[in-house]
Amino acid sequence: MPYSGALRIALVAPPLERVPPRAYGGTERIVHELVLELDRRGHNVTLFASGDSEPPANGQLIATVGEALRPTGFGGDASPYFYSTILDVLHRADEFDLIHAHLDWPGILLAHVSPTPVINTFHGRIDFPFAGRLFEDAPRGLVAISRAQAHLCPEVPWEAVVHNGLNLADAPFERRAGEELCFVGRIAPEKGVVDAIEVARLAGRKLRIAAKIGPRPDERAYYENVFMPALKAAGSNVEFLGEVGPHDRDRLFAESAASLMPGSWPEPFGLVAIESLACGTPVIARRAGGLPEILRDGVDGFLADDSQAMAFSVGRLDRLDRQAIRASVLERFSAERMTNDYLAVYRAMLDHMGRGVEPRLAASAARDRWAAASATDGPESEARQPALRTINAPIEAAASRRPD
Amino acid sequence: MPYSGALRIALVAPPLERVPPRAYGGTERIVHELVLELDRRGHNVTLFASGDSEPPANGQLIATVGEALRPTGFGGDASPYFYSTILDVLHRADEFDLIHAHLDWPGILLAHVSPTPVINTFHGRIDFPFAGRLFEDAPRGLVAISRAQAHLCPEVPWEAVVHNGLNLADAPFERRAGEELCFVGRIAPEKGVVDAIEVARLAGRKLRIAAKIGPRPDERAYYENVFMPALKAAGSNVEFLGEVGPHDRDRLFAESAASLMPGSWPEPFGLVAIESLACGTPVIARRAGGLPEILRDGVDGFLADDSQAMAFSVGRLDRLDRQAIRASVLERFSAERMTNDYLAVYRAMLDHMGRGVEPRLAASAARDRWAAASATDGPESEARQPALRTINAPIEAAASRRPD
């Protein structure tokens, strides 16, 4: 039977940033947009996220940690918090029609053991040595955020590709922008900020850089040993603004002739690109990752393969229609469109699998054994030993040295 | 009914070091001893470990990774390999009477979803901020390796405390050892090597240090900024041997008047202590962690609270009987005794719970829903869409922009 009514949906965010994040945090921004849209449409939304997150207007927030980890300066191994997030979700799995997890790899584990259908959106890169093992005998419900990301692991039976979407309607717009270029992102090797400086130099344009300094030691080293010397060498042609908030970022986009995304890595999607386009600002990007799916080459900007080609395309920016760029991205990458797509995935999963599913692991054995197990003492039986007693018992047993 | 016959036991090791490890790796050493002893006693042992591990003589090795991660220089986030280890175990859970995991925190997750009883031995320290959450509604089968470790989280319903054991019978022995002291361990702040130098100075004895340099950045910094200056200041009274193999380590113990363990942290057990005692060499240790459970104060060595007190006890070493020290530790901390203890835990779990258990999470829902779910298409049905088709569908759907 088709599911057309309101759904009870669990949205599961990582414990790293609040929902929505105060600054960086692409995954948490997308989760926030889904919470808003699904809630607005009358679905019953439960958000599993850090306790300082924004609760759904008509739903419930389940705190997986008191406060988001990263803003508190947490830099250790976060995996125990993912384990407890999975347990939190499993404890309440019965309360939902489906679970939409945004945890990447731990979500695979959740999907294998959950009695409720699980949709897993992968937000990060997936081309890791362990990917083959974790995608083995893959559960249903795996969603990529670009075809490029999906095709890194083509053997995975992807349920769907759903491009990200944001509420972009309030982005500022300038019909006549300035001559300057901009770079928005992070000072990290894969983001290509040094290439951006080179593009600006070759094109004879000024460049303004609004970027967070990556916190990892290798990113710090890159900042000091690679970025700073390049910035210094560029002199007054390049201005480094540091990290800026959303408002200043959008002003920067709106005033720029184009934004540069020369990063040479398989960027799974590229939220910066749609933010720039929403201000009407074309994007000149490397032909890599999800960017060719966002940018219509020659319409929304230009795709190119190196700094010289990108600099060459700067001379063709005048041909582009900033208003059309803005209109198209608001249509193609809205939170509404993304939510429509996910609802289609939800309904396809439910129509196919039913609201209750057999967990792929664990449950079949449990089924066979249930009759026997339930007839004897269960784990909650009062025959369970009190803690202290239990602690000492084997020690005494060892002392009495029973033969085996 | 009591389970007295041969058991089908899965032993699950972390993917970090092979079983047994080539050098460091306390957890993997203990797993190895259990494999040998359980196999020798006729149990059917399946070892989940890195593919370069030693297979059980009469059992099976299931490779969770091709090669152990740490010796290959892996220093990244290992959690995905723990996720896949859990999936590997769950895939075969039906084949075992019980699962004995040595994964620490991920094992909790396994215990919550496994249809086969899970014993979890915690090998590391457990006093982390996330411990409360992960121990919430704790599953049965949690085992600590010392009472000190267990009491860090007294609210946990520990199934048992089982002290580690090793096959120590081949350790060398010298009735008359030299006057020198030794320190064996790791150059890391919590291990107290600088305190050991101070103890030797106060006691007027020479000190030999056999220790690996910790690989973490903070351990590196400690080595360079704290340890090396202290070593230099001590002059010819302290000799640094670097990392040594098991044979040289045991020779060092056997030749020393005592070994020093001044580490000021809640060491969960302290394998170095039993290795030293097996050579007849007393241990002078800080009264911390599991050491008071290993060392009979005034018999196997001395427990003390600071460097001065430890140095004072050096003067009393002559009163101790090295042969009695050796005999006692071989009795109290043998692999045989440890295996007896674990078999008692295994049997108590099985007698109480039955061989099949209801997974605490997931399965009860699955049970209720099974009839309905099995009547419709399951996840393995051929109605499943081919991958490429599925990938494109939602994109096309988005383009046609159905109203929601």
Side-chain angles (χ1 to χ4, degrees), chain A residues 155-203:
Chain A
E155 75 288 357
V156 172
W158 296 103
E159 193 77 31
V161 170
V162 177
H163 285 140
N164 285 334
L166 294 172
N167 184 350
L168 300 164
D170 296 333
F173 178 72
E174 303 283 343
R175 188 176 300 267
R176 288 291 313 160
E179 289 295 301
E180 296 191 350
L181 305 173
C182 70
F183 173 97
V184 171
R186 219 169 70 243
I187 307 290
E190 73 271 21
K191 294 282 187 179
V193 63
V194 169
D195 292 329
I197 294 174
E198 172 75 356
V199 170
R201 187 184 67 79
L202 291 171

Side-chain angles (χ1 to χ4, degrees), chain A residues 41 63 83 88 91 94 106 113 133 137 157-160 331 341 358 360 362 365 380 384 390 394 398 401 404, chain B residues 41 63 83 88 91 94 106 113 133 137 157-160 331 337 341 360 362 365 370 380 384 390 394 398 401 404:
Chain A
R41 297 182 192 196
Y83 301 137
D88 289 342
H91 267 292
D94 282 359
V113 301
R133 274 201 98 91
D137 186 29
W158 296 103
E159 193 77 31
E331 164 88 5
D341 287 354
E358 182 201 14
R360 295 164 58 82
E380 297 309 322
R384 187 165 178 169
T390 313
R401 198 136 324 284
D404 181 68
Chain B
R41 298 182 191 196
Y83 301 137
D88 289 342
H91 267 292
D94 282 359
V113 301
R133 273 201 98 90
D137 186 28
W158 296 103
E159 192 77 31
E331 163 88 5
R337 189 274 310 151
D341 287 354
R360 296 164 58 82
W370 174 249
E380 297 309 322
R384 187 166 180 169
T390 314
R401 197 132 328 280
D404 181 68

Side-chain angles (χ1 to χ4, degrees), chain B residues 12-94:
Chain B
V12 187
L16 303 174
E17 301 282 355
R18 80 190 277 273
V19 175
R22 298 201 195 278
Y24 278 76
T27 301
E28 290 82 359
R29 288 176 69 192
I30 295 303
V31 173
H32 182 60
E33 297 282 5
L34 274 171
V35 168
L36 293 179
E37 267 298 300
L38 291 169
D39 187 86
R40 194 178 66 75
R41 298 182 191 196
H43 297 290
N44 187 339
V45 177
T46 302
L47 171 63
F48 289 82
S50 65
D52 52 352
S53 295
E54 208 175 289
N58 304 295
Q60 204 186 352
L61 169 67
I62 306 288
T64 54
V65 289
E67 244 183 299
L69 296 175
R70 269 202 208 122
T72 66
F74 179 87
D77 173 12
S79 64
Y81 296 97
F82 283 89
Y83 301 137
S84 60
T85 297
I86 291 175
L87 289 175
D88 289 342
V89 174
L90 285 175
H91 267 292
R92 295 165 172 266
D94 282 359

Side-chain angles (χ1 to χ4, degrees), chain A residues 125 127 145-149 152 163 190-192 195 261-271 273 283-295 297 302-306 310:
Chain A
R125 68 186 297 172
D127 50 338
I145 59 174
S146 65
R147 290 189 295 275
Q149 185 199 34
L152 284 171
H163 285 140
E190 73 271 21
K191 294 282 187 179
D195 292 329
M261 295 186 70
S264 51
W265 72 298
E267 175 124 34
F269 181 74
L271 286 176
V283 176
I284 298 175
R286 196 179 296 269
R287 201 186 315 277
L291 289 161
E293 296 165 53
I294 299 173
L295 302 174
D297 193 16
F302 300 99
L303 296 165
D305 294 323
D306 72 358
M310 289 185 228

Side-chain angles (χ1 to χ4, degrees), chain A residues 8 41 43 62-66 77 79-84 86-88 90-96 105-106 108-109 112-117 129-130 133-134 136-140 147 150-151 154-163 331-332 334 336-337 340-341 343-345 347 352-370 372-373 376-381 383-388 390-392 394-395 397-399 401-404, chain B residues 8 41 43 62-66 77 79-84 86-88 90-96 105-106 108-109 112-117 129-130 133-134 136-140 147 150-151 154-163 331-332 334 336-337 340-341 343-345 347 352-370 372-373 376-381 383-388 390-392 394-395 397-399 401-404:
Chain A
R8 298 170 303 163
R41 297 182 192 196
H43 297 290
I62 307 287
T64 55
V65 289
D77 173 12
S79 64
Y81 296 97
F82 283 89
Y83 301 137
S84 60
I86 291 175
L87 290 175
D88 289 342
L90 285 175
H91 267 292
R92 295 165 172 265
D94 282 359
E95 303 171 16
F96 312 114
W105 305 106
I108 297 259
L109 197 52
H112 275 291
V113 301
S114 168
T116 300
F130 50 76
R133 274 201 98 91
L134 278 168
E136 226 173 81
D137 186 29
R140 282 199 59 157
R147 290 189 295 275
H151 282 296
E155 75 288 357
V156 172
W158 296 103
E159 193 77 31
V161 170
V162 177
H163 285 140
E331 164 88 5
R332 292 185 296 139
S334 66
E336 259 190 276
R337 189 274 311 152
N340 290 342
D341 287 354
L343 279 166
V345 174
R347 297 212 160 103
H352 189 69
M353 304 173 78
R355 282 183 198 229
V357 297
E358 182 201 14
R360 295 164 58 82
L361 296 168
S364 64
R367 197 182 66 241
D368 300 342
R369 290 158 165 180
W370 175 249
T376 67
D377 281 327
E380 297 309 322
S381 138
R384 187 165 178 169
Q385 302 285 329
L388 192 64
T390 313
I391 285 181
N392 294 329
I395 301 298
R401 198 136 324 284
R402 287 148 308 131
D404 181 68
Chain B
R8 299 170 301 162
R41 298 182 191 196
H43 297 290
I62 306 288
T64 54
V65 289
D77 173 12
S79 64
Y81 296 97
F82 283 89
Y83 301 137
S84 60
I86 291 175
L87 289 175
D88 289 342
L90 285 175
H91 267 292
R92 295 165 172 266
D94 282 359
E95 303 170 17
F96 313 114
W105 305 105
I108 298 258
L109 197 52
H112 275 291
V113 301
S114 169
T116 300
F130 50 76
R133 273 201 98 90
L134 278 168
E136 226 173 81
D137 186 28
R140 282 199 58 158
R147 291 189 295 275
H151 282 295
E155 75 288 357
V156 171
W158 296 103
E159 192 77 31
V161 170
V162 177
H163 284 140
E331 163 88 5
R332 293 184 296 139
S334 66
E336 257 190 277
R337 189 274 310 151
N340 289 342
D341 287 354
L343 278 166
V345 174
R347 297 213 160 101
H352 190 68
M353 304 173 79
R355 282 183 198 230
V357 297
E358 182 201 15
R360 296 164 58 82
L361 296 168
S364 64
R367 197 182 66 241
D368 300 343
R369 289 159 165 179
W370 174 249
T376 67
D377 280 328
E380 297 309 322
S381 138
R384 187 166 180 169
Q385 302 284 331
L388 192 63
T390 314
I391 285 181
N392 294 329
I395 301 298
R401 197 132 328 280
R402 288 147 307 130
D404 181 68

Side-chain angles (χ1 to χ4, degrees), chain B residues 190-233:
Chain B
E190 73 271 22
K191 293 284 186 178
V193 63
V194 169
D195 292 328
I197 293 174
E198 172 75 356
V199 171
R201 188 184 67 78
L202 292 171
R205 299 281 183 109
K206 296 209 172 195
L207 173 69
R208 287 187 291 178
I209 297 172
K212 174 188 169 133
I213 301 161
R216 295 201 318 259
D218 60 317
E219 293 172 333
R220 271 264 152 207
Y222 175 82
Y223 169 78
E224 276 160 29
N225 305 328
V226 183
F227 172 69
M228 284 308 287
L231 180 66
K232 208 168 163 188

Side-chain angles (χ1 to χ4, degrees), chain B residues 105-299:
Chain B
W105 305 105
I108 298 258
L109 197 52
L110 177 62
H112 275 291
V113 301
S114 169
T116 300
V118 177
I119 317 283
N120 269 301
T121 295
F122 277 76
H123 289 270
R125 68 186 298 172
I126 60 174
D127 50 337
F128 289 104
F130 50 76
R133 273 201 98 90
L134 278 168
F135 282 137
E136 226 173 81
D137 186 28
R140 282 199 58 158
L142 305 186
V143 175
I145 58 174
S146 66
R147 291 189 295 275
Q149 185 199 36
H151 282 295
L152 284 171
C153 294
E155 75 288 357
V156 171
W158 296 103
E159 192 77 31
V161 170
V162 177
H163 284 140
N164 285 334
L166 294 172
N167 183 351
L168 299 164
D170 297 333
F173 177 72
E174 303 282 344
R175 189 175 300 268
R176 287 294 312 161
E179 289 295 301
E180 296 191 350
L181 305 173
C182 71
F183 174 96
V184 172
R186 219 169 71 243
I187 307 290
E190 73 271 22
K191 293 284 186 178
V193 63
V194 169
D195 292 328
I197 293 174
E198 172 75 356
V199 171
R201 188 184 67 78
L202 292 171
R205 299 281 183 109
K206 296 209 172 195
L207 173 69
R208 287 187 291 178
I209 297 172
K212 174 188 169 133
I213 301 161
R216 295 201 318 259
D218 60 317
E219 293 172 333
R220 271 264 152 207
Y222 175 82
Y223 169 78
E224 276 160 29
N225 305 328
V226 183
F227 172 69
M228 284 308 287
L231 180 66
K232 208 168 163 188
S236 64
N237 286 320
V238 179
E239 189 182 357
F240 178 45
L241 308 170
E243 187 174 2
V244 306
H247 180 78
D248 291 338
R249 176 199 66 206
D250 283 349
R251 290 304 325 159
L252 176 64
F253 281 137
E255 294 167 9
S256 298
S259 51
L260 303 178
M261 295 186 70
S264 52
W265 73 297
E267 175 124 34
F269 181 74
L271 286 176
V272 167
I274 67 172
E275 287 166 341
S276 175
L277 299 177
C279 302
T281 306
V283 176
I284 299 174
R286 196 180 295 270
R287 202 186 313 278
L291 289 161
E293 296 166 53
I294 299 174
L295 302 174
R296 296 166 300 171
D297 193 16
V299 177

